[in-house]
Amino acid sequence: MERMKKSKTKMENKNMRKEEKKSLPKLPVPNLEDTLDLYLRSMRPLLTEEQYKETQKRVTQFGAPGGLGELLQKRLLERRENTANWVYDYWLNDMYLANRVALPINSSPVMVFPPQYFQAPIDSLRFAAHLISGMLEYKSLLDMRSLPIDYARGQLAGTPLCMEQYYRLFTSYRLPGPERDTLVAQQSSVMPEPEHIIVACKNQFFVLDVVINFRRLNERDLLTQLGKIYKMADSEEERLPPIGLLTSDGRTEWSESRRVLMKESTNRDSLDMIERCLCLVCLDQSTGLDLTDTSRAKLMLHGGGGAKNGGNRWYDKPMQFVIGADGCCGVVCEHSAFEGIVLVQCTEYLLKYMIGSPSKLVRAASVSELPAPRRLRWKCTPEIHKHLSSSAEKLNRQVRNLDMDVHKFHEYGKEFIKKQRMSPDAYIQVALQLAYYKCHGRLVSTYESASIRRFQEGRVDNIRSATAEALEFVRAMADLKSSDMEKMDRLRGAINAQTKYTVLAITGKAVDNHLLGLREIAKDLKLEKPEIFKDEAFLISNQFILSTSQVPTTVEMFCCYGPVVPDGYGACYNPQSDHIVFCVSSFRDSPRTCSGEFVKILEQGLLEMRDLCTRHNAGQPNTSRNPNEKPNGNPNEKPKEQNLERPIQSHATRQGDKTREKPAGLGDIERPPPQVLVSKAAEQSQVEIQTQATSQGGSK
């Protein structure tokens, strides 16, 4: 009877979700001529004169009256009529499912919680039980459709947003495939909902039922079960190989390993339990590392490799809550199911729940005799052991290759920027362009995520931040002859251009999704790839050397991710009232990149921009300070010649692994009793700020 009621409720909720979606408009198909014009303008700062002329010729040919562009546009308009969102499947496949790279670092973003101070294993288990209790509360809000609808903030504020992504938090799974993955969503009204989570501990996996005899476990019972799991994981006799390492491999390799695993019925049963669970809770062992912001970010992204907690994961699952015995905690997110904003909203709810709802360890209304959690079993052939060795080796290479720098810029935050009557997001994007130009003497294709949740099943489009106006500004900043007035005019021009493109993106009129749709329609029609998509400029435009996202939070935590190309940067930023958190990543094996150096130059540029605004506001004359000179430096010191063409410091010149890591600031204080440490950040309501930033940019 209880299951029948749940089934009926699921069907009713599904119908409600359909009605909610229908109340939102469909994503528009932009005008073809407008997109081609905007494409040319966006590529102008990135191409040589010769490259631009060739691109111009191909674009003109594609957009000619009666030509191929018009045919594809017509078919795209027909597709819009017949689908809820014409770009959704194309975008999902292109961005994620067809991508063959390994998920850790390359694809899966993470949220890093404030460091916790556990004095004994029981403290981390209490934290885990409290967090699971909060997760179940949040899921009940989703099940009852009690989650308030999000409304856009910042640009074009007040518009209701599509909530569909929230319903994939605990019901989705990314199934690996040999050529393309599948995003599996459990939406059946017949099959029972999953009522278990998977707990990973010491590379072993355990089934923890959170509902027994139709009753949800209370926090005391969850703690009891976690304690049992902790003891079971200690058993040397029953310890099994770290199968989770296989999910850290490239998607094609993991697909093959899974195919081999599936030959054994024992393995099939274990895979089924993992693939149908609500989420994972990963109880990590202490790593022995000094837990700075940077080291915690690295550990969240890859677990420290095979020798630490790299096998204590199952990367296909959208939500993995990590609780380290050393206090390193956070969430690992499989990104294909939802954007960063959904991850932020969920995790902020959990952290605030844990602060506002004291740990409830009373036994009221408990299940009297709890069955022991079940260890998942694996039968491993020599072939599987070979795959495990290969996966571990590749993960360890990734661990060594990641160059991460988490930096808190304390000189000013978004309040100072707002006083200049500028958008904080646009201002920071221009600062990122300035930093890259200072490092390399040019601009590059840049991805900034922009939400299109104003439309049915909306995900994201790209804000192309490397604008012609940004190039004019960074050149003016490098030119000693430019006056403050000229620089200020260029800065405002760059910010206005960035803001205008943002509005185009969030209203469905940007370039990237439209071009993707036209390309995929041609493929669907089995036509030869149009010349516009064979052009060198199109390849350049999709190599996002700067992959950026604004991910603001209202509690003390931060988001980070890896680069999306071998010689690129991942740059995630969290603007607060009086400071900005930057998480910059790159790869050590690229001689062109260095995260620490980029952060140093970014900070320098932010100070120069502040000084420019301050002098302009005060009406002071231009001091013609060299851009390389630190603020408040010696005015009599001879300016150094700036070399904008040099690549930034090669990794070969570094001293081992000594990237700049600022201490978290809590290492020397006396340890308090175990509690959830969450600081209230600058006042900021919902995180739907201007671009509705997600936690990662493009992947091609």
Side-chain angles (χ1 to χ4, degrees), residues 152-208:
R153 297 180 63 82
Q155 300 294 330
L156 310 181
T159 309
L161 303 174
C162 181
M163 300 292 287
E164 193 64 21
Q165 294 176 41
Y166 285 95
Y167 300 103
R168 292 193 285 265
L169 276 166
F170 305 109
T171 60
S172 299
Y173 185 81
R174 181 164 170 175
L175 193 66
E179 296 179 358
R180 189 177 74 184
D181 292 356
T182 302
L183 182 59
V184 180
Q186 298 161 6
Q187 295 182 334
S188 170
S189 59
V190 178
M191 292 293 291
E193 283 193 359
E195 295 178 333
H196 69 276
I197 64 173
I198 296 295
V199 178
C201 185
K202 297 187 177 179
N203 300 328
Q204 310 295 290
F205 297 96
F206 302 87
V207 178
L208 172 54

Short mmCIF file of all heavy atoms in Angstrom, two decimals, residues 152-208:
data_model
loop_
_atom_site.label_atom_id
_atom_site.label_comp_id
_atom_site.label_asym_id
_atom_site.label_seq_id
_atom_site.Cartn_x
_atom_site.Cartn_y
_atom_site.Cartn_z
N ALA A 152 15.73 34.75 -11.63
CA ALA A 152 16.97 35.35 -12.09
C ALA A 152 17.29 36.60 -11.28
O ALA A 152 16.40 37.35 -10.89
CB ALA A 152 16.87 35.69 -13.57
N ARG A 153 18.59 36.80 -11.05
CA ARG A 153 19.08 38.00 -10.40
C ARG A 153 20.06 38.67 -11.34
O ARG A 153 20.41 38.13 -12.38
CB ARG A 153 19.74 37.66 -9.07
CG ARG A 153 18.77 37.03 -8.06
CD ARG A 153 19.47 36.71 -6.75
NE ARG A 153 19.97 37.90 -6.11
CZ ARG A 153 19.22 38.71 -5.35
NH1 ARG A 153 17.95 38.45 -5.17
NH2 ARG A 153 19.74 39.78 -4.79
N GLY A 154 20.51 39.86 -10.99
CA GLY A 154 21.46 40.56 -11.84
C GLY A 154 20.78 41.05 -13.11
O GLY A 154 19.74 41.70 -13.07
N GLN A 155 21.36 40.73 -14.27
CA GLN A 155 20.79 41.16 -15.54
C GLN A 155 19.41 40.54 -15.75
O GLN A 155 19.22 39.35 -15.58
CB GLN A 155 21.72 40.73 -16.68
CG GLN A 155 23.12 41.31 -16.61
CD GLN A 155 23.14 42.81 -16.79
OE1 GLN A 155 22.30 43.38 -17.48
NE2 GLN A 155 24.10 43.48 -16.16
N LEU A 156 18.44 41.36 -16.12
CA LEU A 156 17.06 40.92 -16.40
C LEU A 156 16.50 40.13 -15.22
O LEU A 156 15.97 39.02 -15.38
CB LEU A 156 17.01 40.09 -17.69
CG LEU A 156 17.68 40.72 -18.93
CD1 LEU A 156 17.53 39.80 -20.13
CD2 LEU A 156 17.11 42.10 -19.22
N ALA A 157 16.63 40.69 -14.03
CA ALA A 157 16.22 40.00 -12.80
C ALA A 157 14.71 39.77 -12.76
O ALA A 157 13.94 40.49 -13.39
CB ALA A 157 16.66 40.83 -11.58
N GLY A 158 14.32 38.76 -11.99
CA GLY A 158 12.92 38.50 -11.72
C GLY A 158 12.27 37.44 -12.58
O GLY A 158 11.14 37.03 -12.32
N THR A 159 12.97 36.96 -13.61
CA THR A 159 12.41 35.93 -14.48
C THR A 159 12.45 34.58 -13.79
O THR A 159 13.49 34.19 -13.25
CB THR A 159 13.23 35.85 -15.80
OG1 THR A 159 13.36 37.15 -16.35
CG2 THR A 159 12.57 34.92 -16.79
N PRO A 160 11.35 33.80 -13.80
CA PRO A 160 11.40 32.44 -13.23
C PRO A 160 12.32 31.54 -14.05
O PRO A 160 12.44 31.70 -15.27
CB PRO A 160 9.94 31.97 -13.30
CG PRO A 160 9.30 32.81 -14.36
CD PRO A 160 10.00 34.13 -14.33
N LEU A 161 12.96 30.61 -13.38
CA LEU A 161 13.96 29.75 -14.02
C LEU A 161 13.53 28.29 -13.98
O LEU A 161 12.83 27.86 -13.06
CB LEU A 161 15.31 29.91 -13.32
CG LEU A 161 15.86 31.34 -13.27
CD1 LEU A 161 17.12 31.40 -12.42
CD2 LEU A 161 16.13 31.87 -14.67
N CYS A 162 13.98 27.54 -14.98
CA CYS A 162 13.67 26.11 -15.06
C CYS A 162 14.33 25.37 -13.89
O CYS A 162 15.51 25.54 -13.62
CB CYS A 162 14.17 25.55 -16.39
SG CYS A 162 13.83 23.79 -16.60
N MET A 163 13.56 24.51 -13.22
CA MET A 163 14.04 23.79 -12.03
C MET A 163 14.39 22.34 -12.34
O MET A 163 14.71 21.56 -11.45
CB MET A 163 12.96 23.83 -10.95
CG MET A 163 12.58 25.23 -10.49
SD MET A 163 13.91 26.05 -9.60
CE MET A 163 13.88 25.13 -8.05
N GLU A 164 14.35 21.96 -13.62
CA GLU A 164 14.49 20.56 -14.00
C GLU A 164 15.80 19.94 -13.49
O GLU A 164 15.84 18.77 -13.12
CB GLU A 164 14.40 20.42 -15.52
CG GLU A 164 14.21 19.01 -16.02
CD GLU A 164 12.89 18.38 -15.58
OE1 GLU A 164 11.96 19.12 -15.21
OE2 GLU A 164 12.83 17.14 -15.58
N GLN A 165 16.87 20.71 -13.49
CA GLN A 165 18.17 20.15 -13.10
C GLN A 165 18.18 19.65 -11.65
O GLN A 165 18.88 18.68 -11.33
CB GLN A 165 19.26 21.21 -13.27
CG GLN A 165 19.51 21.62 -14.71
CD GLN A 165 20.52 22.73 -14.82
OE1 GLN A 165 21.54 22.73 -14.11
NE2 GLN A 165 20.25 23.70 -15.68
N TYR A 166 17.40 20.28 -10.77
CA TYR A 166 17.37 19.86 -9.37
C TYR A 166 16.90 18.41 -9.23
O TYR A 166 17.34 17.69 -8.32
CB TYR A 166 16.44 20.77 -8.56
CG TYR A 166 17.02 22.13 -8.27
CD1 TYR A 166 16.73 23.22 -9.08
CD2 TYR A 166 17.86 22.34 -7.18
CE1 TYR A 166 17.25 24.47 -8.82
CE2 TYR A 166 18.38 23.59 -6.90
CZ TYR A 166 18.07 24.66 -7.73
OH TYR A 166 18.60 25.90 -7.47
N TYR A 167 16.00 17.99 -10.12
CA TYR A 167 15.42 16.65 -10.00
C TYR A 167 16.35 15.56 -10.54
O TYR A 167 16.00 14.39 -10.49
CB TYR A 167 14.06 16.64 -10.69
CG TYR A 167 13.12 17.63 -10.06
CD1 TYR A 167 12.86 18.85 -10.67
CD2 TYR A 167 12.57 17.40 -8.81
CE1 TYR A 167 12.04 19.79 -10.07
CE2 TYR A 167 11.75 18.33 -8.20
CZ TYR A 167 11.49 19.53 -8.83
OH TYR A 167 10.70 20.47 -8.22
N ARG A 168 17.53 15.96 -11.01
CA ARG A 168 18.53 14.98 -11.42
C ARG A 168 19.63 14.80 -10.38
O ARG A 168 20.53 13.98 -10.57
CB ARG A 168 19.13 15.38 -12.77
CG ARG A 168 18.15 15.30 -13.93
CD ARG A 168 18.85 15.38 -15.28
NE ARG A 168 19.28 16.72 -15.60
CZ ARG A 168 18.58 17.59 -16.34
NH1 ARG A 168 17.40 17.24 -16.83
NH2 ARG A 168 19.06 18.78 -16.61
N LEU A 169 19.58 15.57 -9.30
CA LEU A 169 20.63 15.50 -8.28
C LEU A 169 20.82 14.09 -7.74
O LEU A 169 21.95 13.62 -7.59
CB LEU A 169 20.30 16.45 -7.12
CG LEU A 169 20.68 17.91 -7.27
CD1 LEU A 169 19.99 18.76 -6.21
CD2 LEU A 169 22.19 18.09 -7.18
N PHE A 170 19.73 13.41 -7.41
CA PHE A 170 19.80 12.11 -6.74
C PHE A 170 19.16 10.99 -7.56
O PHE A 170 18.92 9.91 -7.03
CB PHE A 170 19.13 12.20 -5.36
CG PHE A 170 19.69 13.29 -4.50
CD1 PHE A 170 18.95 14.43 -4.22
CD2 PHE A 170 20.98 13.20 -3.98
CE1 PHE A 170 19.47 15.45 -3.43
CE2 PHE A 170 21.50 14.21 -3.19
CZ PHE A 170 20.75 15.34 -2.91
N THR A 171 18.90 11.26 -8.83
CA THR A 171 18.20 10.25 -9.64
C THR A 171 18.93 9.93 -10.94
O THR A 171 18.38 9.24 -11.79
CB THR A 171 16.78 10.74 -10.00
OG1 THR A 171 16.87 11.95 -10.75
CG2 THR A 171 15.95 10.97 -8.75
N SER A 172 20.15 10.42 -11.10
CA SER A 172 20.85 10.26 -12.38
C SER A 172 22.12 9.44 -12.22
O SER A 172 22.65 9.27 -11.13
CB SER A 172 21.20 11.64 -12.96
OG SER A 172 20.04 12.38 -13.20
N TYR A 173 22.59 8.99 -13.37
CA TYR A 173 23.83 8.21 -13.40
C TYR A 173 24.43 8.33 -14.79
O TYR A 173 23.72 8.25 -15.79
CB TYR A 173 23.56 6.74 -13.07
CG TYR A 173 24.81 5.90 -12.96
CD1 TYR A 173 25.56 5.91 -11.79
CD2 TYR A 173 25.26 5.13 -14.02
CE1 TYR A 173 26.72 5.17 -11.68
CE2 TYR A 173 26.42 4.38 -13.92
CZ TYR A 173 27.14 4.40 -12.74
OH TYR A 173 28.29 3.67 -12.63
N ARG A 174 25.74 8.55 -14.86
CA ARG A 174 26.42 8.62 -16.16
C ARG A 174 27.01 7.26 -16.50
O ARG A 174 27.99 6.82 -15.91
CB ARG A 174 27.51 9.69 -16.14
CG ARG A 174 28.23 9.82 -17.48
CD ARG A 174 29.01 11.10 -17.56
NE ARG A 174 29.89 11.16 -18.70
CZ ARG A 174 30.61 12.21 -19.06
NH1 ARG A 174 30.52 13.32 -18.33
NH2 ARG A 174 31.41 12.18 -20.10
N LEU A 175 26.38 6.59 -17.43
CA LEU A 175 26.77 5.23 -17.81
C LEU A 175 27.83 5.31 -18.91
O LEU A 175 27.58 5.90 -19.97
CB LEU A 175 25.55 4.47 -18.31
CG LEU A 175 25.66 2.95 -18.47
CD1 LEU A 175 25.85 2.29 -17.12
CD2 LEU A 175 24.42 2.42 -19.18
N PRO A 176 29.02 4.71 -18.71
CA PRO A 176 30.07 4.82 -19.73
C PRO A 176 29.74 4.01 -20.97
O PRO A 176 29.12 2.95 -20.89
CB PRO A 176 31.30 4.26 -19.02
CG PRO A 176 30.74 3.29 -18.02
CD PRO A 176 29.45 3.89 -17.56
N GLY A 177 30.15 4.51 -22.12
CA GLY A 177 29.97 3.80 -23.38
C GLY A 177 31.26 3.82 -24.18
O GLY A 177 32.13 4.66 -23.92
N PRO A 178 31.41 2.93 -25.15
CA PRO A 178 32.66 2.87 -25.91
C PRO A 178 32.91 4.12 -26.74
O PRO A 178 34.05 4.52 -26.93
CB PRO A 178 32.47 1.64 -26.81
CG PRO A 178 31.00 1.38 -26.83
CD PRO A 178 30.46 1.87 -25.53
N GLU A 179 31.84 4.75 -27.23
CA GLU A 179 31.99 5.96 -28.04
C GLU A 179 31.26 7.16 -27.43
O GLU A 179 31.66 8.30 -27.65
CB GLU A 179 31.46 5.73 -29.46
CG GLU A 179 32.26 4.68 -30.22
CD GLU A 179 31.71 4.45 -31.60
OE1 GLU A 179 30.68 5.07 -31.96
OE2 GLU A 179 32.31 3.64 -32.34
N ARG A 180 30.21 6.89 -26.70
CA ARG A 180 29.44 7.96 -26.08
C ARG A 180 28.77 7.42 -24.83
O ARG A 180 28.25 6.31 -24.82
CB ARG A 180 28.39 8.47 -27.07
CG ARG A 180 27.68 9.73 -26.60
CD ARG A 180 26.71 10.23 -27.66
NE ARG A 180 25.52 9.40 -27.74
CZ ARG A 180 24.54 9.56 -28.62
NH1 ARG A 180 24.64 10.49 -29.54
NH2 ARG A 180 23.49 8.78 -28.60
N ASP A 181 28.77 8.22 -23.77
CA ASP A 181 28.11 7.83 -22.53
C ASP A 181 26.61 8.07 -22.63
O ASP A 181 26.11 8.71 -23.56
CB ASP A 181 28.67 8.63 -21.35
CG ASP A 181 30.12 8.29 -21.04
OD1 ASP A 181 30.65 7.38 -21.69
OD2 ASP A 181 30.71 8.94 -20.17
N THR A 182 25.89 7.57 -21.63
CA THR A 182 24.44 7.77 -21.54
C THR A 182 24.13 8.36 -20.18
O THR A 182 24.61 7.86 -19.15
CB THR A 182 23.68 6.45 -21.71
OG1 THR A 182 24.03 5.86 -22.96
CG2 THR A 182 22.18 6.67 -21.65
N LEU A 183 23.34 9.43 -20.16
CA LEU A 183 22.87 9.98 -18.90
C LEU A 183 21.55 9.30 -18.56
O LEU A 183 20.53 9.54 -19.19
CB LEU A 183 22.68 11.50 -19.00
CG LEU A 183 22.24 12.21 -17.71
CD1 LEU A 183 23.24 11.98 -16.58
CD2 LEU A 183 22.04 13.70 -17.96
N VAL A 184 21.62 8.41 -17.57
CA VAL A 184 20.45 7.62 -17.17
C VAL A 184 19.70 8.37 -16.08
O VAL A 184 20.29 8.77 -15.08
CB VAL A 184 20.88 6.23 -16.67
CG1 VAL A 184 19.66 5.41 -16.26
CG2 VAL A 184 21.67 5.50 -17.75
N ALA A 185 18.41 8.54 -16.27
CA ALA A 185 17.57 9.20 -15.25
C ALA A 185 16.50 8.23 -14.81
O ALA A 185 15.81 7.63 -15.63
CB ALA A 185 16.94 10.47 -15.81
N GLN A 186 16.36 8.05 -13.49
CA GLN A 186 15.35 7.13 -12.94
C GLN A 186 14.04 7.89 -12.80
O GLN A 186 13.80 8.55 -11.80
CB GLN A 186 15.83 6.59 -11.59
CG GLN A 186 17.11 5.79 -11.70
CD GLN A 186 17.81 5.64 -10.36
OE1 GLN A 186 17.29 6.05 -9.34
NE2 GLN A 186 19.00 5.08 -10.38
N GLN A 187 13.20 7.77 -13.82
CA GLN A 187 11.94 8.51 -13.81
C GLN A 187 10.73 7.59 -13.89
O GLN A 187 9.62 8.03 -14.09
CB GLN A 187 11.92 9.50 -14.99
CG GLN A 187 12.96 10.59 -14.87
CD GLN A 187 12.86 11.58 -16.01
OE1 GLN A 187 12.40 11.25 -17.10
NE2 GLN A 187 13.30 12.81 -15.78
N SER A 188 10.97 6.31 -13.75
CA SER A 188 9.86 5.37 -13.86
C SER A 188 8.90 5.53 -12.69
O SER A 188 9.31 5.69 -11.54
CB SER A 188 10.39 3.94 -13.90
OG SER A 188 9.33 3.02 -13.78
N SER A 189 7.61 5.49 -12.98
CA SER A 189 6.60 5.54 -11.91
C SER A 189 6.26 4.15 -11.41
O SER A 189 5.49 3.98 -10.48
CB SER A 189 5.34 6.24 -12.42
OG SER A 189 4.82 5.54 -13.54
N VAL A 190 6.85 3.13 -12.06
CA VAL A 190 6.57 1.74 -11.68
C VAL A 190 7.65 1.21 -10.75
O VAL A 190 7.37 0.62 -9.70
CB VAL A 190 6.46 0.85 -12.94
CG1 VAL A 190 6.23 -0.60 -12.53
CG2 VAL A 190 5.36 1.35 -13.86
N MET A 191 8.93 1.45 -11.13
CA MET A 191 10.03 0.96 -10.31
C MET A 191 10.09 1.72 -8.98
O MET A 191 9.83 2.92 -8.94
CB MET A 191 11.36 1.15 -11.06
CG MET A 191 11.49 0.26 -12.28
SD MET A 191 11.61 -1.49 -11.84
CE MET A 191 13.23 -1.50 -11.09
N PRO A 192 10.42 1.03 -7.89
CA PRO A 192 10.53 1.73 -6.60
C PRO A 192 11.71 2.69 -6.61
O PRO A 192 12.72 2.44 -7.26
CB PRO A 192 10.76 0.58 -5.60
CG PRO A 192 11.32 -0.54 -6.42
CD PRO A 192 10.69 -0.42 -7.77
N GLU A 193 11.55 3.78 -5.89
CA GLU A 193 12.65 4.74 -5.78
C GLU A 193 13.79 4.14 -4.98
O GLU A 193 13.57 3.33 -4.08
CB GLU A 193 12.17 6.02 -5.07
CG GLU A 193 11.36 6.92 -5.95
CD GLU A 193 11.17 8.28 -5.31
OE1 GLU A 193 11.66 8.49 -4.18
OE2 GLU A 193 10.55 9.14 -5.95
N PRO A 194 15.04 4.54 -5.29
CA PRO A 194 16.16 4.04 -4.48
C PRO A 194 16.02 4.54 -3.05
O PRO A 194 15.63 5.69 -2.81
CB PRO A 194 17.38 4.64 -5.17
CG PRO A 194 16.87 5.81 -5.96
CD PRO A 194 15.48 5.43 -6.36
N GLU A 195 16.32 3.66 -2.12
CA GLU A 195 16.23 4.02 -0.70
C GLU A 195 17.52 3.66 0.02
O GLU A 195 17.53 3.26 1.16
CB GLU A 195 15.02 3.31 -0.06
CG GLU A 195 13.68 3.78 -0.64
CD GLU A 195 12.48 3.07 -0.04
OE1 GLU A 195 12.64 1.92 0.41
OE2 GLU A 195 11.39 3.66 -0.04
N HIS A 196 18.61 3.78 -0.73
CA HIS A 196 19.91 3.49 -0.14
C HIS A 196 20.95 4.46 -0.69
O HIS A 196 20.78 5.04 -1.77
CB HIS A 196 20.33 2.05 -0.42
CG HIS A 196 20.65 1.78 -1.86
ND1 HIS A 196 19.68 1.48 -2.80
CD2 HIS A 196 21.83 1.77 -2.54
CE1 HIS A 196 20.23 1.28 -3.98
NE2 HIS A 196 21.54 1.46 -3.85
N ILE A 197 22.00 4.65 0.08
CA ILE A 197 23.18 5.35 -0.40
C ILE A 197 24.34 4.36 -0.38
O ILE A 197 24.25 3.28 0.22
CB ILE A 197 23.51 6.59 0.46
CG1 ILE A 197 23.86 6.17 1.89
CG2 ILE A 197 22.36 7.58 0.46
CD1 ILE A 197 24.35 7.35 2.73
N ILE A 198 25.40 4.69 -1.06
CA ILE A 198 26.62 3.88 -1.04
C ILE A 198 27.66 4.62 -0.21
O ILE A 198 27.92 5.81 -0.45
CB ILE A 198 27.15 3.62 -2.46
CG1 ILE A 198 26.14 2.80 -3.27
CG2 ILE A 198 28.50 2.91 -2.40
CD1 ILE A 198 25.90 1.40 -2.76
N VAL A 199 28.22 3.95 0.75
CA VAL A 199 29.29 4.51 1.56
C VAL A 199 30.60 3.88 1.12
O VAL A 199 30.74 2.65 1.10
CB VAL A 199 29.06 4.27 3.06
CG1 VAL A 199 30.23 4.82 3.89
CG2 VAL A 199 27.75 4.91 3.51
N ALA A 200 31.56 4.72 0.73
CA ALA A 200 32.89 4.25 0.37
C ALA A 200 33.82 4.49 1.56
O ALA A 200 33.86 5.59 2.11
CB ALA A 200 33.40 5.00 -0.86
N CYS A 201 34.54 3.45 1.96
CA CYS A 201 35.45 3.55 3.09
C CYS A 201 36.63 2.62 2.84
O CYS A 201 36.43 1.41 2.62
CB CYS A 201 34.74 3.21 4.39
SG CYS A 201 35.73 3.45 5.88
N LYS A 202 37.82 3.16 2.81
CA LYS A 202 39.04 2.39 2.55
C LYS A 202 38.93 1.61 1.24
O LYS A 202 39.29 0.43 1.17
CB LYS A 202 39.35 1.47 3.74
CG LYS A 202 39.64 2.26 5.02
CD LYS A 202 40.11 1.39 6.16
CE LYS A 202 40.44 2.26 7.36
NZ LYS A 202 40.89 1.47 8.53
N ASN A 203 38.40 2.28 0.22
CA ASN A 203 38.26 1.71 -1.13
C ASN A 203 37.26 0.57 -1.22
O ASN A 203 37.21 -0.13 -2.25
CB ASN A 203 39.62 1.24 -1.68
CG ASN A 203 40.63 2.37 -1.77
OD1 ASN A 203 40.26 3.52 -2.01
ND2 ASN A 203 41.89 2.05 -1.57
N GLN A 204 36.48 0.36 -0.16
CA GLN A 204 35.42 -0.64 -0.16
C GLN A 204 34.07 0.06 -0.26
O GLN A 204 33.94 1.22 0.14
CB GLN A 204 35.46 -1.47 1.14
CG GLN A 204 36.84 -2.03 1.48
CD GLN A 204 37.31 -3.05 0.45
OE1 GLN A 204 36.77 -4.15 0.36
NE2 GLN A 204 38.31 -2.68 -0.33
N PHE A 205 33.06 -0.63 -0.78
CA PHE A 205 31.75 -0.01 -0.96
C PHE A 205 30.69 -0.79 -0.17
O PHE A 205 30.66 -2.02 -0.21
CB PHE A 205 31.38 0.04 -2.44
CG PHE A 205 32.32 0.89 -3.25
CD1 PHE A 205 33.39 0.33 -3.93
CD2 PHE A 205 32.17 2.27 -3.29
CE1 PHE A 205 34.27 1.11 -4.65
CE2 PHE A 205 33.04 3.06 -4.01
CZ PHE A 205 34.10 2.48 -4.69
N PHE A 206 29.84 -0.02 0.52
CA PHE A 206 28.83 -0.60 1.39
C PHE A 206 27.47 0.01 1.08
O PHE A 206 27.36 1.20 0.80
CB PHE A 206 29.18 -0.36 2.86
CG PHE A 206 30.51 -0.91 3.27
CD1 PHE A 206 31.67 -0.16 3.11
CD2 PHE A 206 30.62 -2.19 3.79
CE1 PHE A 206 32.91 -0.67 3.46
CE2 PHE A 206 31.85 -2.72 4.16
CZ PHE A 206 33.00 -1.96 4.00
N VAL A 207 26.43 -0.82 1.17
CA VAL A 207 25.06 -0.36 0.98
C VAL A 207 24.50 0.05 2.33
O VAL A 207 24.43 -0.76 3.26
CB VAL A 207 24.17 -1.46 0.36
CG1 VAL A 207 22.73 -0.98 0.22
CG2 VAL A 207 24.72 -1.90 -1.00
N LEU A 208 24.11 1.32 2.44
CA LEU A 208 23.49 1.82 3.65
C LEU A 208 22.03 2.17 3.32
O LEU A 208 21.75 3.16 2.65
CB LEU A 208 24.23 3.06 4.16
CG LEU A 208 23.58 3.84 5.32
CD1 LEU A 208 23.28 2.92 6.50
CD2 LEU A 208 24.46 5.00 5.76
#
